[in-house]
Amino acid sequence: MQMDDIRAILAACEVFKGLDSAQLAGIAAICRPCRFETGETIYRQGGLGEEIFIIAEGQVILERAVSVGPRKGTVPVAVLGKGKLMGAWSTLLNEPHTLMLSAVCKRPAVLLAINGAEFRRQMTGDTLLGFRILEKLCFLLRDRVQAMLGAMDNL
């Protein structure tokens, strides 16, 4: 994948829309493209979250393992497609975070992985960038928490 492709994917992402070309180039420099096949787990609930993922192609389902009395299983929380971001807590907290959900490929996917610690360094080095990203992440996290609570209501 070429740098121009990575910058275009970032520019279309819900969290990076509206950033200038220099900011996008800085973020693109720390992106690592990766591929996952249908049914493959990208990350698992309970693991340590140290990366952010942007979906460039494909579809990913976020799900939560639950245990209610004798009932055990997984509850789908969201289905994400192109331009969506997942795994953002490590960027906010400046430390690895225990993942609250699992991410599994619903369709073959190409993702951009960004190390949370490296991204945080960029955000603290450019406070305007940091503020804009944190503001968008707050809205994203609010929506994901609401989706998770809604999924739990359906148990």
Side-chain angles (χ1 to χ4, degrees), residues 26-99:
I27 298 165
I30 61 171
C31 286
R32 177 180 52 85
C34 45
R35 294 181 183 280
F36 295 89
E37 296 302 322
T38 301
E40 195 172 352
T41 299
I42 299 162
Y43 57 79
R44 197 172 305 284
Q45 178 180 328
L48 290 180
E50 297 178 345
E51 293 182 302
I52 298 167
F53 295 94
I54 296 109
I55 302 171
E57 297 173 18
Q59 207 170 48
V60 174
I61 187 165
L62 298 179
E63 57 189 23
R64 178 148 175 94
V66 293
S67 178
V68 180
R71 295 175 52 194
K72 294 180 190 311
T74 58
V75 176
V77 173
V79 177
L80 306 177
K82 188 174 182 175
K84 298 296 183 182
L85 180 137
M86 56 194 186
W89 283 105
S90 60
T91 301
L92 296 172
L93 301 174
N94 195 28
E95 61 186 38
H97 175 72
T98 303
L99 296 163

Side-chain angles (χ1 to χ4, degrees), residues 10-21 23-24 132 136:
L10 291 173
C13 175
E14 61 189 334
V15 173
F16 302 116
K17 282 182 184 173
L19 296 182
D20 67 39
S21 59
Q23 291 168 325
L24 289 172
R132 292 175 77 186
K136 289 181 180 185

Side-chain angles (χ1 to χ4, degrees), residues 88-89 92 136-146:
W89 283 105
L92 296 172
K136 289 181 180 185
L137 286 176
C138 285
F139 286 114
L140 172 67
L141 293 172
R142 177 202 62 194
D143 294 346
R144 295 280 166 78
V145 168
Q146 287 175 339

Side-chain angles (χ1 to χ4, degrees), residues 107-118:
R107 282 197 245 145
V110 175
L111 308 178
L112 295 180
I114 303 173
N115 178 277
E118 289 180 42

